[in-house]
Amino acid sequence: MIALSDYDQALLQGERGPAAALAMRILVRSAAVMGADGLIDIDSAHIDGCLYHGQASLDFVEKLVEGGGKVVVPTTLNVGSMDLIHPELFRGDDALRSAGTRLMQAHIELGCESSFTCAPYQLKHRPRLGQQIAWAESNAIVFANSVLGARTNRYGDFMDLCAALTGRAPRCGLHLAENRHAGIVFAVAGDFPRDPASRDIWYAALGLLVGKRAGGAIPAITGLPADTTEDELKALGAAAASSGAIALFHAVGVTPEAPTLDAALGGRAADATIAVTRADLRAVRETLNQAAPGAPLAAVSVGTPHFSLAECAALERLLCRPAPGPGPAEAEHAGSELTGGGPTGGGPIGGEPTGSAPTGDGPRCAVDFYVNTSRYILWELEASGQADRLRAAGVQFVTDTCTYITPIMRQTTGLVMTNSGKWAHYAPANIGVRVAYGSLRECVRSALAGKVCFDEA
């Protein structure tokens, strides 16, 4: 039996309108299935359902709009099916363009913020340690739980929106402190790569390994460098959530709920400890890598999850000011940065960021180079001049969506290179490409050469 507050009962009885009543009915039934004893207040929501998967997704949101639905907590939106900043990039059919755009607009009419990013934690306002939220999108969930220490279950399409319209979520799972302890340990060996300029790919490889082997347990990871950045944790979590069902991991000495291994385990013994060597990570990389050095390259795609300001800065250092000779310039180590630029409320979607025309006569990519990022990050890049410099080197920015889910790429026959474990995991089945999997430094070298280049090490 689900215990309901007076507020919950009022919503069920339609006192806040038919949309809120429908949302509360869905929440109460879902809470019972999940074994919750009641509902809790949430402080924010992140909605995954604005990506068009068929008429049912649009019908559900239209029903909420017609019922006068409005979100009651700050609510961000995940990627959609269209890049509304650069609509000319879309290569799909008109039916998908129309339905996908309408679905995104309908969410705005419900009061959601026009963020359209899979990385809402890069926005100005993000959850705090211990804060209760209802987030969807696998990488956003694992980042919020693990890196920020906020609390959310893995919410999917429709239920996330119901939570946003009511401000409530089932009281169970990772919302409760007692359910957030690790049960399995992944002990990373001392040979884990330490060079910040080229270790990005190994965090993603570690995430893929952890996701596959953790099962239903929350993993604790020991042995990561103390200077591990948010972007590296982002790559780890996104990959782990792609290859498995990970919604929370603890990096001992790095993430907020794991100052020690004992704290991560909640004072209990681990059910198992799995040693992870560099050889193990190389083996994971090889399972995703369908390319040999020197193979012709069709394109490069990075930013899955969406690129941060720090990642864009690293890309600019590598791409726009390369060192002479065969090797690339070393990217200096940069931590993740937050952006407060751009509007933070809902409103009409679309609108081209402004900036001067690209200039420069430096090196230019020999193949298409796509950077998936949020419109907020792009606005920051426009303001600083970085966007123009990167465009002059051959970068195409993609906002509001991602190249592995929306028909945007000009060339999908042949090899596409990425440093994203998530992109490498999903793109072959989603858009039919073959993947070359390398670090950001290797991606840049390959893009300039027009062929796959791996570091000798």
mmCIF file of all heavy atoms in Angstrom, residues 201-223:
data_model
loop_
_atom_site.group_PDB
_atom_site.id
_atom_site.type_symbol
_atom_site.label_atom_id
_atom_site.label_comp_id
_atom_site.label_asym_id
_atom_site.label_seq_id
_atom_site.Cartn_x
_atom_site.Cartn_y
_atom_site.Cartn_z
ATOM 1 N N ILE A 201 40.644 7.875 -23.250
ATOM 2 C CA ILE A 201 40.053 6.647 -23.778
ATOM 3 C C ILE A 201 40.050 5.521 -22.754
ATOM 4 O O ILE A 201 39.187 4.640 -22.780
ATOM 5 C CB ILE A 201 40.798 6.226 -25.060
ATOM 6 C CG1 ILE A 201 40.020 5.129 -25.793
ATOM 7 C CG2 ILE A 201 42.216 5.786 -24.752
ATOM 8 C CD1 ILE A 201 40.616 4.784 -27.122
ATOM 9 N N TRP A 202 40.991 5.555 -21.822
ATOM 10 C CA TRP A 202 41.091 4.456 -20.864
ATOM 11 C C TRP A 202 40.017 4.535 -19.794
ATOM 12 O O TRP A 202 39.593 3.516 -19.241
ATOM 13 C CB TRP A 202 42.491 4.428 -20.259
ATOM 14 C CG TRP A 202 43.534 4.268 -21.331
ATOM 15 C CD1 TRP A 202 44.474 5.185 -21.713
ATOM 16 C CD2 TRP A 202 43.701 3.147 -22.205
ATOM 17 N NE1 TRP A 202 45.211 4.695 -22.762
ATOM 18 C CE2 TRP A 202 44.763 3.450 -23.086
ATOM 19 C CE3 TRP A 202 43.061 1.917 -22.332
ATOM 20 C CZ2 TRP A 202 45.190 2.576 -24.072
ATOM 21 C CZ3 TRP A 202 43.483 1.035 -23.318
ATOM 22 C CH2 TRP A 202 44.537 1.366 -24.171
ATOM 23 N N TYR A 203 39.547 5.738 -19.481
ATOM 24 C CA TYR A 203 38.400 5.851 -18.574
ATOM 25 C C TYR A 203 37.153 5.246 -19.213
ATOM 26 O O TYR A 203 36.362 4.563 -18.553
ATOM 27 C CB TYR A 203 38.162 7.307 -18.198
ATOM 28 C CG TYR A 203 39.126 7.834 -17.167
ATOM 29 C CD1 TYR A 203 40.337 8.395 -17.555
ATOM 30 C CD2 TYR A 203 38.844 7.749 -15.810
ATOM 31 C CE1 TYR A 203 41.242 8.871 -16.610
ATOM 32 C CE2 TYR A 203 39.742 8.225 -14.861
ATOM 33 C CZ TYR A 203 40.940 8.782 -15.270
ATOM 34 O OH TYR A 203 41.835 9.249 -14.329
ATOM 35 N N ALA A 204 36.962 5.515 -20.503
ATOM 36 C CA ALA A 204 35.814 4.918 -21.196
ATOM 37 C C ALA A 204 35.950 3.399 -21.269
ATOM 38 O O ALA A 204 34.970 2.667 -21.058
ATOM 39 C CB ALA A 204 35.693 5.508 -22.601
ATOM 40 N N ALA A 205 37.155 2.914 -21.541
ATOM 41 C CA ALA A 205 37.365 1.463 -21.587
ATOM 42 C C ALA A 205 37.089 0.838 -20.226
ATOM 43 O O ALA A 205 36.466 -0.232 -20.124
ATOM 44 C CB ALA A 205 38.795 1.162 -22.040
ATOM 45 N N LEU A 206 37.537 1.501 -19.153
ATOM 46 C CA LEU A 206 37.258 1.008 -17.806
ATOM 47 C C LEU A 206 35.758 0.975 -17.551
ATOM 48 O O LEU A 206 35.226 0.011 -16.983
ATOM 49 C CB LEU A 206 37.955 1.894 -16.775
ATOM 50 C CG LEU A 206 37.674 1.582 -15.301
ATOM 51 C CD1 LEU A 206 38.114 0.172 -14.943
ATOM 52 C CD2 LEU A 206 38.374 2.612 -14.400
ATOM 53 N N GLY A 207 35.045 2.015 -17.980
ATOM 54 C CA GLY A 207 33.599 2.039 -17.792
ATOM 55 C C GLY A 207 32.915 0.894 -18.508
ATOM 56 O O GLY A 207 31.999 0.258 -17.960
ATOM 57 N N LEU A 208 33.333 0.597 -19.725
ATOM 58 C CA LEU A 208 32.738 -0.518 -20.462
ATOM 59 C C LEU A 208 32.977 -1.835 -19.741
ATOM 60 O O LEU A 208 32.077 -2.687 -19.658
ATOM 61 C CB LEU A 208 33.312 -0.571 -21.875
ATOM 62 C CG LEU A 208 32.901 0.579 -22.796
ATOM 63 C CD1 LEU A 208 33.748 0.580 -24.060
ATOM 64 C CD2 LEU A 208 31.413 0.486 -23.162
ATOM 65 N N LEU A 209 34.180 -2.022 -19.210
ATOM 66 C CA LEU A 209 34.488 -3.246 -18.469
ATOM 67 C C LEU A 209 33.651 -3.345 -17.201
ATOM 68 O O LEU A 209 33.066 -4.398 -16.902
ATOM 69 C CB LEU A 209 35.982 -3.270 -18.142
ATOM 70 C CG LEU A 209 36.543 -4.516 -17.457
ATOM 71 C CD1 LEU A 209 38.009 -4.722 -17.838
ATOM 72 C CD2 LEU A 209 36.444 -4.418 -15.928
ATOM 73 N N VAL A 210 33.568 -2.239 -16.449
ATOM 74 C CA VAL A 210 32.797 -2.233 -15.204
ATOM 75 C C VAL A 210 31.324 -2.515 -15.480
ATOM 76 O O VAL A 210 30.684 -3.313 -14.787
ATOM 77 C CB VAL A 210 32.974 -0.890 -14.475
ATOM 78 C CG1 VAL A 210 31.964 -0.747 -13.332
ATOM 79 C CG2 VAL A 210 34.389 -0.753 -13.938
ATOM 80 N N GLY A 211 30.759 -1.878 -16.511
ATOM 81 C CA GLY A 211 29.357 -2.094 -16.824
ATOM 82 C C GLY A 211 29.043 -3.540 -17.146
ATOM 83 O O GLY A 211 28.004 -4.079 -16.732
ATOM 84 N N LYS A 212 29.939 -4.193 -17.875
ATOM 85 C CA LYS A 212 29.711 -5.584 -18.265
ATOM 86 C C LYS A 212 29.834 -6.554 -17.098
ATOM 87 O O LYS A 212 29.158 -7.583 -17.060
ATOM 88 C CB LYS A 212 30.705 -5.981 -19.359
ATOM 89 C CG LYS A 212 30.431 -5.363 -20.714
ATOM 90 C CD LYS A 212 31.470 -5.809 -21.733
ATOM 91 C CE LYS A 212 31.187 -5.196 -23.104
ATOM 92 N NZ LYS A 212 32.226 -5.579 -24.094
ATOM 93 N N ARG A 213 30.701 -6.240 -16.137
ATOM 94 C CA ARG A 213 31.024 -7.227 -15.114
ATOM 95 C C ARG A 213 30.394 -6.960 -13.751
ATOM 96 O O ARG A 213 30.420 -7.822 -12.879
ATOM 97 C CB ARG A 213 32.549 -7.339 -14.965
ATOM 98 C CG ARG A 213 33.244 -7.745 -16.269
ATOM 99 C CD ARG A 213 34.674 -8.166 -16.055
ATOM 100 N NE ARG A 213 34.786 -9.327 -15.188
ATOM 101 C CZ ARG A 213 35.956 -9.870 -14.841
ATOM 102 N NH1 ARG A 213 37.087 -9.338 -15.278
ATOM 103 N NH2 ARG A 213 35.994 -10.927 -14.044
ATOM 104 N N ALA A 214 29.807 -5.784 -13.559
ATOM 105 C CA ALA A 214 29.253 -5.466 -12.236
ATOM 106 C C ALA A 214 27.920 -6.141 -11.975
ATOM 107 O O ALA A 214 27.521 -6.304 -10.815
ATOM 108 C CB ALA A 214 29.111 -3.955 -12.090
ATOM 109 N N GLY A 215 27.204 -6.516 -13.040
ATOM 110 C CA GLY A 215 25.878 -7.086 -12.841
ATOM 111 C C GLY A 215 24.949 -6.066 -12.208
ATOM 112 O O GLY A 215 24.914 -4.916 -12.614
ATOM 113 N N GLY A 216 24.212 -6.494 -11.194
ATOM 114 C CA GLY A 216 23.288 -5.575 -10.525
ATOM 115 C C GLY A 216 23.896 -4.848 -9.350
ATOM 116 O O GLY A 216 23.196 -4.089 -8.662
ATOM 117 N N ALA A 217 25.195 -5.054 -9.092
ATOM 118 C CA ALA A 217 25.839 -4.453 -7.925
ATOM 119 C C ALA A 217 26.337 -3.044 -8.236
ATOM 120 O O ALA A 217 26.663 -2.717 -9.376
ATOM 121 C CB ALA A 217 27.006 -5.323 -7.471
ATOM 122 N N ILE A 218 26.409 -2.227 -7.200
ATOM 123 C CA ILE A 218 27.030 -0.902 -7.317
ATOM 124 C C ILE A 218 28.535 -1.094 -7.201
ATOM 125 O O ILE A 218 29.019 -1.681 -6.233
ATOM 126 C CB ILE A 218 26.524 0.043 -6.214
ATOM 127 C CG1 ILE A 218 25.036 0.313 -6.404
ATOM 128 C CG2 ILE A 218 27.314 1.350 -6.210
ATOM 129 C CD1 ILE A 218 24.401 1.070 -5.258
ATOM 130 N N PRO A 219 29.318 -0.622 -8.168
ATOM 131 C CA PRO A 219 30.761 -0.835 -8.110
ATOM 132 C C PRO A 219 31.495 0.263 -7.350
ATOM 133 O O PRO A 219 31.140 1.443 -7.418
ATOM 134 C CB PRO A 219 31.165 -0.828 -9.586
ATOM 135 C CG PRO A 219 30.150 0.051 -10.256
ATOM 136 C CD PRO A 219 28.868 -0.108 -9.473
ATOM 137 N N ALA A 220 32.549 -0.128 -6.660
ATOM 138 C CA ALA A 220 33.536 0.803 -6.116
ATOM 139 C C ALA A 220 34.821 0.578 -6.892
ATOM 140 O O ALA A 220 35.220 -0.569 -7.124
ATOM 141 C CB ALA A 220 33.758 0.559 -4.635
ATOM 142 N N ILE A 221 35.467 1.667 -7.299
ATOM 143 C CA ILE A 221 36.678 1.575 -8.115
ATOM 144 C C ILE A 221 37.834 2.170 -7.326
ATOM 145 O O ILE A 221 37.770 3.320 -6.876
ATOM 146 C CB ILE A 221 36.498 2.332 -9.445
ATOM 147 C CG1 ILE A 221 35.274 1.788 -10.193
ATOM 148 C CG2 ILE A 221 37.751 2.216 -10.303
ATOM 149 C CD1 ILE A 221 34.869 2.636 -11.385
ATOM 150 N N THR A 222 38.874 1.404 -7.143
ATOM 151 C CA THR A 222 40.072 1.890 -6.454
ATOM 152 C C THR A 222 41.202 2.048 -7.461
ATOM 153 O O THR A 222 41.224 1.406 -8.502
ATOM 154 C CB THR A 222 40.513 0.918 -5.343
ATOM 155 O OG1 THR A 222 40.882 -0.339 -5.926
ATOM 156 C CG2 THR A 222 39.390 0.703 -4.337
ATOM 157 N N GLY A 223 42.164 2.930 -7.132
ATOM 158 C CA GLY A 223 43.366 3.049 -7.942
ATOM 159 C C GLY A 223 43.339 4.103 -9.023
ATOM 160 O O GLY A 223 44.311 4.239 -9.776
#
